[in-house]
Amino acid sequence: MGIRKRILVTGGAGFLGSHLCERLLNEGNEVICMDNYFTGTKQNIHHLMDNSSFELMRHDVTFPVYLEVDEIYNLACPASPIHYQHDPVQTTKTSVHGAINMLGLAKRTGAKIFQASTSEVYGDPKVHPQQESYWGHVNPIGFRSCYDEGKRCAETLFFDYHRQHNLRIKVGRIFNTYGPRMHPNDGRVVSNFIVQALTGTPITIYGEGEQTRSFCYCLDLIESFVRLMNSDDSVTGPINIGNPGEFTIRQLAEKVIEMTNSSSELVFKDLPSDDPTQRRPDITLAKEQLGWEPKVSLDEGLKKTIEYFDQLLSDKSATVSQMAVRG
Ligand code: NAD
Ligand code: UDP
């Protein structure tokens, strides 16, 4: 066990944030989980509530906060396109004002600060696979821009605070990540397909399903967060973190159907605007600077995620039938 630190995790009640809080507590740290529960739930961190080193704080990251901390992981921001497009102005505020507030906190306390950036900074990339040196191909005024440009501006702020105020920054560009605790109605492709397959409803493929993504299992990703935070101060990022295995969306659908033995059929829907056609991280830098690469294959990770949703859905239907009996 290392030195006990006081660590703030914004967006800590979300999918990735909850796994990160758990990991940091297991290492013996004190963790403050800050969230406004826009897309996160108390259910995700319910099992941590009895831990006296864990503190839950309802707070919106777009407002300043005064705390004493050694490290900050800034994850607050809806990540699913459906959620971040629901209130796009708030999404940009969350990324930009949130970054300013957290960087201000880091400046006052001298804390090290990690930013959950995204592969979306590359937009619909014309360079494949994506390396950190690529500046991207991003629409500044489209439906995804609130997220993409918000995250890009957050990166700008991180690097300006680093150059201007010598802040110790760690910027990780996260590629599509999946696993237990994704919200079942989150709208992202892995959770959608698994829930659809398990409930026997049609699998919704947007476009022809020929677009590609690279899927990383959540615990692999959390390992990279911690390694990046613990790396030498000279390692600032931006650094790609994700699984370089690349699959078409149609391949993913077929895999999920096969693994769940589902009778769901495929249905084809309109492709959302600016949906990137291809995405795969070049993780050479993460291997060199963090000694990190993902260990969990898509098949293994999907198996665990299917088990999670299977349990969740049967718990839910049990609750519904109990209510029906009581009613
Ligand atoms: P998530 O939606 O499950 O988690 C986001 C959390 O932030 C939620 O708990 C939400 O309630 C909270 N939040 C949103 N706005 C807030 C605000 N204004 N103040 C305080 N809390 C707020 O999504 P996730 O997949 O866990 O993503 C976590 C972070 O990682 C996000 O910053 C996201 O952009 C980034 N990321 C995730 C992926 C992925 O594939 N999961 C990919 C790229 C980047
Ligand atoms: N997608 C799909 N069906 C769904 C949800 C998503 O075909 O039910 C597609 C989506 O158009 C995109 C890919 O799957 O091409 C990944 O979508 P997601 O929302 O998970 O993340 P993105 O990488 O687009 O941010």
Side-chain angles (χ1 to χ4, degrees), residues 79 81 84 120 144 176 187-190 192-193 196 204-206 211 213 249 271-272 275-276 279:
Y84 68 64
E120 285 285 320
R144 294 175 86 102
N176 297 60
R188 282 182 275 189
V189 70
V190 175
N192 268 10
F193 285 4
Q196 289 162 344
T204 52
I205 295 193
Y206 301 159
Q211 69 273 37
R213 293 292 186 274
I249 294 306
L271 189 67
D275 198 288
R279 184 182 285 160

Side-chain angles (χ1 to χ4, degrees), residues 14-16 35-36 38-40 60-61 75 147 151 177 188:
F15 159 51
L16 294 176
D35 209 293
N36 70 350
F38 175 49
T39 52
D60 188 317
V61 77
L75 272 62
Y147 184 76
K151 289 284 189 180
T177 301
R188 282 182 275 189

Side-chain angles (χ1 to χ4, degrees), residues 38-194:
F38 175 49
T39 52
T41 65
K42 284 192 189 155
Q43 199 54 42
N44 284 341
I45 31 123
H46 189 252
H47 61 297
L48 307 176
M49 301 291 241
D50 286 340
N51 189 326
S52 58
S53 299
F54 184 67
E55 199 176 324
L56 192 54
M57 181 182 182
R58 178 189 286 268
H59 183 80
D60 188 317
V61 77
T62 60
F63 294 97
V65 65
Y66 291 84
L67 296 165
E68 303 310 316
V69 288
D70 303 307
E71 290 178 356
I72 303 166
Y73 287 86
N74 187 36
L75 272 62
C77 186
S80 145
I82 291 179
H83 288 146
Y84 68 64
Q85 289 170 28
H86 171 74
D87 185 350
V89 173
Q90 178 64 17
T91 299
T92 303
K93 280 188 188 170
T94 294
S95 280
V96 177
H97 292 194
I100 292 170
N101 289 330
M102 289 307 110
L103 287 161
L105 179 64
K107 183 170 168 238
R108 185 178 62 76
T109 56
K112 250 195 276 188
I113 180 164
F114 166 91
Q115 167 67 359
S117 191
T118 168
S119 51
E120 285 285 320
V121 300
Y122 301 120
D124 188 6
K126 300 296 165 212
V127 169
H128 193 73
Q130 292 79 56
Q131 290 182 331
E132 292 83 352
S133 54
Y134 178 48
W135 288 355
H137 177 242
V138 181
N139 177 356
I141 57 166
F143 289 107
R144 294 175 86 102
S145 312
C146 57
Y147 184 76
D148 300 7
E149 296 290 17
K151 289 284 189 180
R152 284 168 68 97
C153 183
E155 285 200 7
T156 307
L157 285 160
F158 268 69
F159 278 86
D160 282 334
Y161 268 79
H162 171 65
R163 285 184 288 255
Q164 202 175 330
H165 299 298
N166 297 315
L167 250 62
R168 293 176 296 160
I169 60 159
K170 308 282 177 185
V171 176
R173 288 184 178 157
I174 306 167
F175 284 65
N176 297 60
T177 301
Y178 68 98
R181 297 196 203 131
M182 290 186 94
H183 196 285
N185 302 326
D186 177 289
R188 282 182 275 189
V189 70
V190 175
S191 44
N192 268 10
F193 285 4
I194 293 178

Side-chain angles (χ1 to χ4, degrees), residues 252-265:
L252 178 73
E254 283 161 0
K255 209 180 246 302
V256 169
I257 288 179
E258 190 191 314
M259 291 179 75
T260 50
N261 261 327
S262 176
S263 56
S264 292
E265 53 176 358

